[in-house]
Amino acid sequence: MPIVASPVAEYASPRAEYDWVIVGGGSAGCVLANRLSADPDVSVLLIEAGPSGAGPDGTAVEAIDRADSWVSLLGSEHDWGYTYTPTPLVDGRTIPIPRGRVLGGSSAINAMLWYRGHPSDYDRWGAEGATGWDAALMTRLFRTVEDWEGGADAWRGAGGPIRIERSRNPHPIAVALMQGSAELGLPITDDLNGPSNEGAAWTNFSATTAPDGSMRRWSAARGYLAPVLSRPNLHVVVDSPALSLEIDGTRVSGVRHLVNGASVLTRAGRGVVMTAGAIDTPRLLMLSGIGDADALGALGIRPRVDLPGVGANYQDHPLIEGVTARARAPLGLVRDNGGGAMLNWRSSLAGAAPDLHAFVVQGPHATAEVRAEYDLTGDVFAVSPGLMDSRSVGHVRLRSADPGVAPDIQPNFLAERHDLDALVESLDTIQDLFGTRAFADLIEAPLAPAGRLSRREAERYIRRSVSTFFHACGTARMGSDDEAPVTPELALRGVDGVWIADASVMPTIPTCNTLAPVYAIAERAAELLGAPAVVR
């Protein structure tokens, strides 16, 4: 189903007031727009800072639509272009943190990996104060979202808005990962979103295979928004950055945003739902005077609600870009999203679930610093490991009261020794994989690194190679304690009329890609806000 652009253009000038105003047309925003507007008596406005993601003919732009083109979107007009603030822990490097700036948000520019994590991730949320949130709830919500190629069962859903498929024609590197993992005695698992999430498996993609054999993206804009754009009670305005929330007394009454370059105020009769993501949701709250009162006052922002937890607790998974080898022969055209298989396994530090994760890359995968040190030209491929049970925590802070100034975004990668120790172990496992029979016919020589490393060498390589999985979360965590900015019902503390329904509310980062849990959080938000029940 193509994304149709014309209904978006029709509502380039929103009305003065709606029942619900949703800020951020990304993964969560598209869910809320769909679910809340299912009641024909409720008016809904969805505000997106970026473009529609559609061309003049009304269909999705090719780079968004084709799964094998997603890397070209990073740093493009569809990316916010944010970067992490450098620290000595990562050798002073500036690390980009891509965030979607287009209808569909990051679901329109990401690598489309669909992985839900371990049940203990969500039981932990409830145990730590997000009352009512647990694995059973999240599994129900995941099943509501999914249209899984294998059909519905106790774990998976079918008939939902988001199509989930595996590769129809896996790349040889993906095949080697599966076979090499088996040689090492690691489990081979049919579905890592099923009863067990440990072992090697074919990747689940939020994508579908086209008649020509190529894989096509299935974003939130495609699955949730496009089918309902004709609803007369749903209006969508694009190219409309939000500037601040309007606060009248103790209530958020609307949103100030740009329309055709001019600032307008759109009122929200029932409330505002923030779905701008773990960077821009706290940024907008702080610009509106909601956050640490002392820090806001120092920037000349009038504090309205003193919530020091806004912008704190930032988390992301550290990824090593990557472990690269030279191939014996040309690898052929890129298939699927450039990957196709993944592996979850346990370091010596693992708890109840596997903590290490790796995926294949059908080409080089390395930071600029590593590329400058190693020759990665020609026919090469990578297996890139990372840590899903990361412990380091950072922040999002304003640098200025000017909405046009990017915030200070700090994940504090490698601040916790635990994270560095686990990543050191991950490098050895990838070298073990490269030594299996499955990779013997593919590898001419390991390149970066050139073989097994000493502890000191491994730490140096990690500091020069560590990057992001793009799993930003946690900056407006939900909980029952007074320090939590958001209640378990997703309402912002200290002010009425505003709810948060994106990755910001995650108390701790789950051991998975964050797209699936973001959809689940948004589905739960729709239920809590009284949207009509989903019927299939």
Side-chain angles (χ1 to χ4, degrees):
M1 180 186 298
I3 299 171
V4 180
S6 56
V8 175
E10 181 181 349
Y11 298 117
S13 297
R15 298 200 308 250
E17 182 170 346
Y18 294 80
D19 291 314
W20 294 104
V21 176
I22 303 166
V23 182
S27 308
C30 290
V31 176
L32 270 298
N34 178 306
R35 299 308 191 198
L36 292 176
S37 67
D39 182 346
D41 295 325
V42 172
S43 60
V44 178
L45 175 67
L46 177 65
I47 299 171
E48 167 53 39
S52 70
D57 63 351
T59 59
V61 298
E62 188 77 354
I64 292 176
D65 189 42
R66 289 188 61 95
D68 59 6
S69 300
W70 73 272
V71 174
S72 70
L73 297 165
L74 308 184
S76 73
E77 64 174 322
H78 300 111
D79 179 4
W80 278 95
Y82 289 139
T83 59
Y84 284 154
T85 303
T87 74
L89 294 168
V90 297
D91 278 1
R93 295 180 298 113
T94 298
I95 300 172
I97 172 61
R99 298 283 86 194
R101 191 176 185 274
V102 61
L103 278 182
S106 295
S107 77
I109 73 166
N110 67 2
M112 294 150 284
L113 275 67
W114 187 263
Y115 174 40
R116 299 169 8 179
H118 193 270
S120 63
D121 298 335
Y122 309 111
D123 287 337
R124 179 181 177 187
W125 289 2
E128 293 186 356
T131 307
W133 293 79
D134 58 19
L137 171 67
M138 292 294 283
T139 299
R140 175 177 68 79
L141 297 169
F142 289 141
R143 295 180 72 249
T144 298
V145 175
E146 292 178 335
D147 183 21
W148 167 234
E149 67 172 11
D153 60 22
W155 292 92
R156 306 305 301 264
I162 301 299
R163 181 65 178 171
I164 310 295
E165 297 183 8
R166 292 172 285 202
S167 174
R168 305 284 177 84
N169 184 25
H171 192 276
I173 304 303
V175 174
L177 181 74
M178 297 287 283
Q179 295 175 346
S181 297
E183 285 185 51
L184 295 179
L186 297 168
I188 304 301
T189 305
D190 177 64
D191 179 13
L192 293 176
N193 292 312
S196 173
N197 75 326
E198 187 164 4
W202 305 116
T203 302
N204 282 200
F205 296 107
S206 52
T208 191
T209 302
D212 65 1
S214 66
M215 184 167 277
R216 302 286 169 154
R217 180 187 299 276
W218 206 286
S219 70
R222 179 177 185 176
Y224 277 94
L225 194 59
V228 300
L229 278 174
S230 62
R231 288 176 179 169
N233 61 325
L234 172 61
H235 293 180
V236 180
V237 59
V238 296
D239 298 313
S240 183
L243 303 176
S244 65
L245 302 180
E246 185 76 2
I247 304 175
D248 292 332
T250 61
R251 182 176 180 82
V252 170
S253 60
V255 179
R256 291 193 177 275
H257 56 117
L258 296 180
V259 177
N260 297 321
S263 175
V264 302
L265 170 61
T266 303
R267 296 283 182 179
R270 296 196 182 187
V272 172
V273 187
M274 294 295 304
T275 55
I279 295 172
D280 284 298
T281 283
R283 182 181 69 86
L284 187 64
L285 292 175
M286 289 185 284
L287 286 170
S288 306
I290 302 171
D292 185 300
D294 292 338
L296 297 179
L299 292 174
I301 298 172
R302 176 191 171 192
R304 304 297 298 270
V305 182
D306 187 14
L307 282 179
V310 171
N313 194 47
Y314 183 88
Q315 296 165 67
D316 188 8
H317 292 132
L319 165 70
I320 297 175
E321 283 189 45
V323 180
T324 305
R326 187 171 303 286
R328 292 185 181 274
L331 299 172
L333 297 176
V334 172
R335 301 181 193 174
D336 307 319
N337 74 333
M342 56 186 273
L343 171 65
N344 294 330
W345 78 104
R346 295 170 182 267
S347 75
S348 64
L349 305 172
D355 58 340
L356 294 174
H357 172 92
F359 57 89
V360 299
V361 180
Q362 299 166 28
H365 192 213
T367 62
E369 291 75 15
V370 170
R371 290 173 189 261
E373 186 174 345
Y374 297 88
D375 178 13
L376 303 185
T377 59
D379 295 306
V380 301
F381 67 88
V383 177
S384 297
L387 178 62
M388 289 291 176
D389 183 26
S390 49
R391 309 290 174 83
S392 301
V393 175
H395 60 257
V396 173
R397 295 173 182 163
L398 294 183
R399 301 179 191 269
S400 167
D402 181 351
V405 175
D408 166 25
I409 312 168
Q410 181 53 261
N412 277 329
F413 280 152
L414 309 180
E416 294 291 333
R417 189 72 184 184
H418 165 276
D419 295 358
L420 183 61
D421 290 344
L423 288 170
V424 167
E425 292 188 29
S426 78
L427 289 176
D428 287 338
T429 300
I430 306 306
Q431 293 298 335
D432 291 341
L433 274 173
F434 282 0
T436 61
R437 293 188 303 276
F439 279 96
D441 292 337
L442 295 174
I443 293 179
E444 178 181 292
L447 293 179
R452 200 172 298 273
L453 302 175
S454 68
R455 172 69 192 218
R456 187 172 189 177
E457 292 169 334
E459 288 192 12
R460 178 178 182 273
Y461 188 82
I462 289 167
R463 294 190 193 282
R464 292 166 60 80
S465 299
V466 71
S467 185
T468 169
F469 272 97
F470 318 154
H471 297 168
C473 68
T475 47
R477 71 173 178 90
M478 58 178 169
S480 300
D481 60 287
D482 292 339
E483 301 302 314
V486 174
T487 72
E489 294 75 35
L490 302 179
L492 189 68
R493 292 187 191 278
V495 62
D496 296 328
V498 61
W499 289 261
I500 314 297
D502 58 27
S504 305
V505 305
M506 297 181 186
T508 54
I509 191 167
T511 58
C512 61
N513 305 80
T514 48
L515 179 61
V518 164
Y519 279 128
I521 288 167
E523 287 279 9
R524 181 56 178 158
E527 294 176 349
L528 292 169
L529 295 176
V534 176
V535 178
R536 288 213 293 267

